Structure formats: structure tokens, C-alpha cells
Amino acid sequence: MPTSTLAKGERTRRAIIDHAVATAYRVGLGRLTIGDLAAGTGLSKSGLYAHFGSKEALQLAVLDEAAARFTAAVVRPALQAPRGETRLRALFDRWVACGRSRDPGVCLFVKAATELDEQPGAVRDRLAELHRALISTIETIVRNADGAFRPDADGYQLAADVYGVMLSFYLAHRLLQDPAAERRTRVAFETLLAALSRGPSPDPPTVVARVRPRGLPPTESATTTGSCS
Amino acid sequence: MPTSTLAKGERTRRAIIDHAVATAYRVGLGRLTIGDLAAGTGLSKSGLYAHFGSKEALQLAVLDEAAARFTAAVVRPALQAPRGETRLRALFDRWVACGRSRDPGVCLFVKAATELDEQPGAVRDRLAELHRALISTIETIVRNADGAFRPDADGYQLAADVYGVMLSFYLAHRLLQDPAAERRTRVAFETLLAALSRGPSPDPPTVVARVRPRGLPPTESATTTGSCS
DNA sequence: GCCGGAAGTGCACGCTCGTGCTATTTTCTC
DNA sequence: GAGAAAATAGCACGAGCGTGCACTTCCGGC
């Protein structure tokens, strides 16, 4: 009775990786253990192990899955939005939404960067490649904006800045559990957009939001409240 | 022949923690092992263990040391600079310098945030407390600027944004090994300062630097090239 | 210089780690 | 439904983990 069209082995493999992504999101890629995963999926250690052949292969599979989820939940939908600012906003909104909801795959993809940045090896190399691809995607969004941004806009700079805004959000939201984290993140993003969209001295209205809010509602724009997959 | 005024035990303890900070910077606080540390310091496992009594106590000691180094290398010197923009720049310059040189203590303090953000426990609680203190320090720098910044400047927002800029720098510098990382980081910081220092629509000259540089020297302002301690 | 306490060693423990085998069971194909 | 192939279990291994304890060595104050 095949509950799906997938072969048995593939189904099991996905169940394992699913479990592994959730675990790695909590404890890190490096602290995944075969025994733990086996217990969590109801397999024997060796049965699980046979699916990957080594722990490093397992880590790579988990990392690839996390990256794929990031693409599916954040990048791909954004690329279907209209070009220019709307597309950039779509990317940002979905990214924030995944952070807010602690989407394990998406968050793992970002979190692994810090874990592996000083640990040479195949996993780190793959991760760097994946992050470079994301930066390149953001760059392309800026370049293909059809004149919505200043013609000399530096897409790479913006990509790095968006990364920074998101990393700061993750810190405030997850470690510090700051309820105002999302509002500040949106303020920071608006500032980036303002510098990008108009001439050098635009009097952008959103910049005003950078000052201390006096009785502002905690989060004014909840455009993306949906799921993350 | 006492090489220092410290008691023997204290000297050994410091040597252990010194080693531990460097190791934890590479592999993370959670992957510190007693055996590894003992081998690295020439002690027996139990001899080393006796200095702390538990692994968690060791981790706390390492974390505290990392935070202390951050204070000594970044915060304290900055607080001796003149108030206002200069002080903020001093903080930023020193922080960047430590990132560039991969100062283990300073970097560990930041890196641990990602490692522990989903792992409840005493170590995480301490780390969150330390990060809150740093944010509060930045906030105070903004507040005590004696009118150098706009009076309604949001110091907490700025603190979060500076964090983001630095986290982005760490990612680009350490994982991606991007040689242009520091230049972009300085551009991003100048943008933050520009929004803070002047009126809402200032035509700040530094914002021009946000666009694609055409044959710019890789790093134009190397004001802080010295050591980090 | 002696002596008490601090500092450090040796050894053992129960556990878990990643990784190999060989069987055995289950699934897919004709 | 038989037979091939894939999937999984059982078991064992050497190593390393954090921790405890009894013992020895060494430093520092008198």
C-alpha cells in the first residue's frame, strides 16, 4: 500500500532529514548524532546510517535540505513578485516571517554560517557556496529592477546590508526574545530601501521612523502572516 | 620563582581559559571537551576538571572571559573617546578591527549568540544578559552625545543596526572570506551615522558611497590598524 | 625548613559516539 | 507469487565523553 509514489527508501530518507533539520536548528549541524536521530525516527542506528554512509554526508544532506527550504519559502515566491521594490520587499517579508515563526529549515541555513565559519571542510565549503548564491540572487533583483532603483545602486552592498538586518533580527528575536525586534527590523529595511530607491537627498518619509517611536503600534505592517512553505 | 604575583592555581586557571577561548572560537562553546583542553594545556583531565567542577561552569567561565575581552578591547577604549560621533566611531572601529584580526575572545562573544539562541540553560541566560548590556551601552553612547545627534535619535534602534552591520561583516569576512567585506561594512556604518547625525533630509555625502564603487581603493579608511587588547 | 592545604595525577565508571560487519526482513519487478 | 534487490536490524568495535575518588606532589606561610 504505497501511501505515496516515492520508493520506500526515499520516504525514510526524507523523514530522517526532516527530523535532522529540526534538530540541527536547535543544536547545530555539528551536534547531530546518529543515535539521537535513529531514536527520533524509530530506526536502528545502522539502518539510518546506511542511508548516508558517513556523518559528513548526512550533514551535507541536511544542509542542502535547509537551503532548498529557504529557496522554496523565501526566494522562489519572491521571484514571482513584480520586479523592483515589490520583489525586494517580498523577499524581505518572507524572510522575516520565517524568522518570526522559527522555520527550522530557513533558520538553519542562516545559523549554520556562524557555526561553520571557522571549521574548514566540505560542509563549510558547500554552505559558503549557498550563501554566495543567495547574495547573487539579491544582487540580480536589484540589477533587474527596470529602473526602479538608482542606476548606480550597488546590489552587492544591499545584499550584505539585508543580511545584516536579518542577522540582527535573529539575534534580537531568538536570543534576546525582544518583542520589538520585528518592528526595528522593518525600520532598518525601510532605511535601506530609501537609500536605494531615490536620489541622493530625497527626504524619504520612512527615515522619520528611525527615531524613537512615541506610542507607535508594535508592528505596523504585517503583510506576511502566512505560512512559510 | 614566581613569574607573576598570582597564585599557582589562578595562573593555571587562566591558562586553561585562554586555551578554551581560542578553541571555543573555532568549534563553539558546546564542543569544548575536557580531554582536549587537558591535552592542550598539559594537564590531566581530572586536574583540569577540578578547577571548575562541571563542564557548564567551565563554559560560563569561558563566556565571561570572552565578554571581558570584548569590554577591554572594544568598549572601554571607546568610552574614553570624546562623546558623540567620535565615541561611536571608536567603538565601531575597534569592533571591526577585532573581527578583521579574528580576535578569539571578541569574536567568540558574538558567535556564541547564534550557537546558543535555541538552547535554554544557564550559559544562554548569561550570554543574553551580556548582549543586553552591550546594547544598553551603545544606547547610552547615543543618549550622552551632548546634542551631536538628533535629539529624538533612537539609540536602541542604532544599537541593533550596528549589531547587524557587524554580523554581516563577520559572515562576509569569515565564512565567505570576501576581501571587500570591511569596505562594505564601513559604508553601511556611515549610512547609519548619516541618518542619525543630521536632519531628516540632509543630503549626506557619505550616502553617495553606497552606490557601486568604480575603481575605488579597497579600504579607504584604515584608522584602526593596531592590536585588539 | 617544616608542615598543612592547595594543586594535580591515575584510574575507573557508565555512556555515547561514528562506523563497520553479517543477517534478516521488506519492497519492487517480472 | 517467485526471485532479485533494496532496506533495515543486530551486534560489536575502539575511542572519547563527563565525572568521581583516592592518592601523591608541590607550593607558600610560619
Side-chain angles (χ1 to χ4, degrees):
Chain A
M1 56 189 86
T3 54
S4 89
T5 177
L6 262 48
K8 176 77 197 312
E10 187 58 24
R11 258 180 293 149
T12 309
R13 190 186 153 96
R14 301 222 176 171
I16 295 170
I17 292 184
D18 206 61
H19 219 89
V21 167
T23 307
Y25 162 62
R26 278 186 289 111
V27 304
L29 264 181
R31 309 213 77 182
L32 282 177
T33 65
I34 311 281
D36 228 46
L37 248 39
T41 53
L43 285 171
S44 66
K45 262 174 54 171
S46 49
L48 186 146
Y49 189 81
H51 278 273
F52 304 95
S54 79
K55 190 180 173 182
E56 192 178 53
L58 166 65
Q59 290 174 320
L60 280 172
V62 171
L63 179 57
D64 281 342
E65 171 68 16
R69 289 196 195 176
F70 188 95
T71 302
V74 177
V75 176
R76 201 142 48 215
L79 289 181
Q80 287 167 353
R83 294 184 165 196
E85 190 177 314
T86 308
R87 185 171 292 183
L88 208 49
R89 278 185 191 280
L91 184 90
F92 173 77
D93 278 339
R94 290 187 165 268
W95 197 345
V96 168
C98 290
R100 183 201 314 130
S101 68
R102 293 178 155 74
D103 179 294
V106 173
C107 292
L108 171 58
F109 172 63
V110 176
K111 179 171 174 166
T114 313
E115 181 186 355
L116 299 172
D117 59 6
E118 293 290 335
Q119 292 183 263
V123 186
R124 177 205 147 123
D125 294 346
R126 176 78 59 93
L127 181 64
E129 182 189 316
L130 291 166
H131 274 277
R132 271 189 265 264
L134 174 56
I135 287 180
S136 167
T137 299
I138 300 179
E139 225 183 339
T140 304
I141 291 180
V142 171
R143 184 168 32 239
N144 292 348
D146 288 344
F149 302 133
R150 350 181 358 169
D152 56 354
D154 185 348
Y156 204 106
Q157 174 82 45
L158 182 90
D161 291 346
V162 168
Y163 251 102
V165 169
M166 287 308 305
L167 291 170
S168 172
F169 174 52
Y170 278 32
L171 179 97
H173 181 54
R174 297 206 309 220
L175 178 67
L176 307 180
Q177 316 209 58
D178 184 341
E182 183 168 346
R183 181 178 55 69
R184 276 198 313 276
T185 300
R186 294 190 178 275
V187 169
F189 181 68
E190 295 303 330
T191 304
L192 290 180
L193 269 192
L196 200 67
S197 306
R198 352 218 175 201
S201 58
D203 192 3
T206 45
V207 165
V208 172
R210 287 195 61 82
V211 304
R212 245 191 339 262
R214 307 189 204 278
L216 212 70
T219 302
E220 65 281 28
S221 58
T223 56
T224 315
T225 53
S227 78
C228 227
S229 54
Chain B
M1 59 189 88
T3 54
S4 92
T5 178
L6 262 47
K8 177 82 196 308
E10 188 57 24
R11 259 180 291 152
T12 309
R13 190 187 153 96
R14 302 224 175 170
I16 296 171
I17 293 184
D18 205 61
H19 218 90
V21 167
T23 306
Y25 162 63
R26 279 186 288 109
V27 304
L29 264 181
R31 308 213 76 182
L32 283 178
T33 65
I34 311 281
D36 229 46
L37 246 40
T41 53
L43 284 173
S44 65
K45 264 175 50 171
S46 46
L48 186 145
Y49 189 81
H51 278 273
F52 303 95
S54 79
K55 189 178 175 183
E56 192 178 53
L58 166 65
Q59 290 173 321
L60 281 172
V62 172
L63 178 57
D64 281 341
E65 170 68 16
R69 292 198 193 176
F70 189 94
T71 301
V74 177
V75 175
R76 201 144 46 216
L79 289 181
Q80 286 167 354
R83 293 184 167 198
E85 188 177 316
T86 308
R87 185 172 292 182
L88 208 48
R89 278 185 191 280
L91 184 91
F92 173 77
D93 279 338
R94 291 186 164 268
W95 197 344
V96 167
C98 290
R100 182 202 315 130
S101 68
R102 293 178 154 74
D103 180 293
V106 172
C107 292
L108 171 59
F109 172 63
V110 175
K111 179 171 175 166
T114 313
E115 181 185 356
L116 298 172
D117 59 6
E118 293 289 335
Q119 293 182 262
V123 186
R124 177 204 147 125
D125 293 346
R126 176 79 59 96
L127 181 64
E129 183 189 316
L130 292 166
H131 275 277
R132 271 189 266 263
L134 174 55
I135 287 179
S136 165
T137 299
I138 300 179
E139 224 184 338
T140 304
I141 291 180
V142 172
R143 185 169 31 240
N144 291 349
D146 287 344
F149 303 133
R150 355 184 349 172
D152 55 354
D154 185 347
Y156 204 105
Q157 174 82 44
L158 182 90
D161 292 346
V162 168
Y163 251 103
V165 168
M166 288 308 306
L167 292 170
S168 172
F169 174 54
Y170 279 32
L171 180 99
H173 181 54
R174 298 205 308 218
L175 179 66
L176 307 180
Q177 315 208 56
D178 185 340
E182 182 168 346
R183 183 179 53 70
R184 277 200 312 276
T185 299
R186 294 190 177 276
V187 169
F189 181 68
E190 293 304 330
T191 304
L192 290 180
L193 267 192
L196 199 67
S197 304
R198 344 210 183 211
S201 58
D203 190 5
T206 45
V207 165
V208 173
R210 288 196 60 81
V211 304
R212 246 192 337 265
R214 306 189 204 279
L216 213 70
T219 301
E220 67 281 27
S221 57
T223 56
T224 315
T225 53
S227 77
C228 228
S229 55

